[in-house]
Amino acid sequence: MKLSLRGEYALRALIVLGLNYGRSVVQIQTISRQQNIPKRFLEQILHDLKSAGIVESRRGVAGGYRLHAPPERITLAAVIRHIEGPLAPVSCVSERFYEPCTCPDEAKCGIRSVMKEVRDAIVKILEGFTLAQLCERVRQLHAEPGNPLDYII
Amino acid sequence: MKLSLRGEYALRALIVLGLNYGRSVVQIQTISRQQNIPKRFLEQILHDLKSAGIVESRRGVAGGYRLHAPPERITLAAVIRHIEGPLAPVSCVSERFYEPCTCPDEAKCGIRSVMKEVRDAIVKILEGFTLAQLCERVRQLHAEPGNPLDYII
DNA sequence: TTAATCTTGATAATATTTCTAGTGATTGTA
DNA sequence: TACAATCACTAGAAATATTATCAAGATTAA
């Protein structure tokens, strides 16, 4: 599980949306400027998150994006799985993205059994972590919360 | 931490060398055939492991590779770090491969703090796991151990 | 001397990641 | 209606990483 830039951008964008949950939609341009993410690239990412049902959009003049579900119900595991694919270090130990590897016999593969442990450790952390908790951490990291839109993540 | 083919091949090769530790050297060709790893590619990988001080080689007619240290003293963390780079999902939380990320302020980055947890979990497992233990698992996975060279990993 | 082996550097082929561009669709408002 | 702001979608350029191959050379045991 390595987080690509795409994945990092997705999380940063979701934090912004999370901090604004319950208010109006947030425009791509706003997120792009605030987080220093290439706008066109961010468009793609948000569209991707929409197709995953994580965010929803509103078009037109006062358009923008917002979370589809409350941030308490969005786990980091779900987000990263959708953007990055398997959380497992090798896909032959992935539950949701299983693919056979090149080893002659999986059942007798020593590497597999270790990587399964790694996978479980990663999954345990990321499934137990919601976007709400992440937003809370961000809030805590800022001594004096001003306008949420100005948060530097 | 995603394991590339290169990393998987490295581990498989090391298991073969681990199972043969204390005996003679093992030829690249032997490992290549047994594990179905492209020979030229394996050459590179073993040379790489040699430069890391993990294996040593003997040239000439009866040449080949063997472990430089006893398998008890080789951790999976050390091997994977050398082949793949940082174990951390983002390099801004890596201890040995630290690099700043694109976020405006690391100290206040919520993502960072979560990824640090993930990193620690991965490191804990892989630093506590030696090649000897991995070889032991492989032996256990085979009900009837025959010639170690014939192990299918 | 010979044959088997590792050594080394170059590089080809492919896949992935990151990012840009262009065009079209939708919507609120004047 | 017409306009401007915004999302929707597709294509693909550019850079990088991964996987693999080739060829000539150095080393060594027999």
Side-chain angles (χ1 to χ4, degrees):
Chain A
M1 191 240 122
K2 195 193 142 204
L3 199 66
S4 68
L5 211 44
R6 188 186 180 88
E8 192 184 319
Y9 288 164
L11 288 181
R12 297 233 295 268
L14 286 174
I15 291 176
V16 175
L17 297 185
L19 291 170
N20 274 69
Y21 184 69
R23 310 180 193 193
S24 62
V25 298
V26 184
Q27 290 169 19
I28 286 185
Q29 208 169 29
T30 307
I31 302 174
S32 162
R33 281 209 197 107
Q34 195 186 112
Q35 297 296 322
N36 199 31
I37 300 171
K39 194 186 151 202
R40 294 287 198 177
F41 195 23
L42 184 57
E43 274 181 21
Q44 274 184 29
I45 295 167
L46 284 172
H47 184 256
D48 193 7
L49 290 174
K50 187 185 174 186
S51 78
I54 296 171
V55 302
E56 59 191 15
S57 67
R58 188 173 155 187
R59 299 171 81 157
V61 171
Y65 281 89
R66 78 177 131 210
L67 295 183
H68 179 65
E72 290 78 18
R73 301 199 46 196
I74 301 173
T75 69
L76 298 197
V79 175
I80 295 176
R81 275 205 188 97
H82 193 262
I83 298 284
E84 307 281 351
L87 298 179
V90 287
S91 51
C92 66
V93 299
S94 172
E95 301 267 324
R96 306 176 192 235
F97 296 85
Y98 170 82
E99 271 182 40
C101 66
T102 64
C103 76
D105 184 352
E106 276 195 8
K108 296 181 178 177
C109 175
I111 297 170
R112 224 175 104 80
S113 70
V114 185
M115 290 305 154
K116 225 172 175 58
E117 286 186 25
V118 175
R119 186 204 91 95
D120 289 344
I122 294 173
V123 168
K124 191 179 169 192
I125 294 173
L126 295 179
E127 299 230 299
F129 218 104
T130 67
L131 184 56
Q133 289 172 284
L134 186 52
C135 289
E136 191 48 41
R137 282 213 186 178
V138 172
R139 282 200 198 91
Q140 282 171 7
L141 288 170
H142 288 73
E144 298 199 305
N147 175 4
L149 279 176
D150 289 342
Y151 273 127
I152 290 165
I153 300 171
Chain B
M1 191 243 123
K2 194 192 141 202
L3 200 65
S4 68
L5 250 196
R6 188 185 181 88
E8 192 183 320
Y9 287 164
L11 288 181
R12 297 234 296 266
L14 285 174
I15 291 175
V16 175
L17 297 185
L19 292 170
N20 274 69
Y21 184 68
R23 309 182 193 190
S24 61
V25 299
V26 184
Q27 290 168 21
I28 285 185
Q29 208 169 29
T30 306
I31 302 173
S32 161
R33 282 209 196 106
Q34 194 187 112
Q35 296 297 322
N36 198 31
I37 301 172
K39 194 186 153 203
R40 298 287 194 179
F41 196 22
L42 183 58
E43 277 179 18
Q44 272 184 30
I45 294 168
L46 284 172
H47 185 257
D48 193 6
L49 290 174
K50 186 185 174 186
S51 78
I54 295 170
V55 303
E56 59 190 15
S57 68
R58 189 172 153 184
R59 300 169 80 157
V61 172
Y65 281 89
R66 77 176 131 207
L67 295 183
H68 178 63
E72 290 78 20
R73 301 199 47 196
I74 301 172
T75 68
L76 297 197
V79 175
I80 295 176
R81 274 204 188 99
H82 193 262
I83 299 285
E84 306 280 350
L87 299 178
V90 287
S91 51
C92 66
V93 299
S94 171
E95 300 266 325
R96 306 176 192 235
F97 296 85
Y98 170 81
E99 271 182 42
C101 66
T102 64
C103 76
D105 185 351
E106 277 194 7
K108 296 181 177 177
C109 176
I111 297 170
R112 223 176 105 81
S113 70
V114 185
M115 290 305 154
K116 224 172 176 58
E117 285 185 27
V118 174
R119 186 204 92 93
D120 290 344
I122 295 173
V123 168
K124 191 179 170 192
I125 293 173
L126 294 180
E127 299 229 299
F129 217 102
T130 67
L131 184 56
Q133 289 172 283
L134 186 52
C135 289
E136 191 48 41
R137 282 212 186 177
V138 172
R139 282 201 197 90
Q140 283 171 7
L141 288 169
H142 288 72
E144 298 201 304
N147 176 5
L149 279 177
D150 289 340
Y151 273 126
I152 290 166
I153 300 171

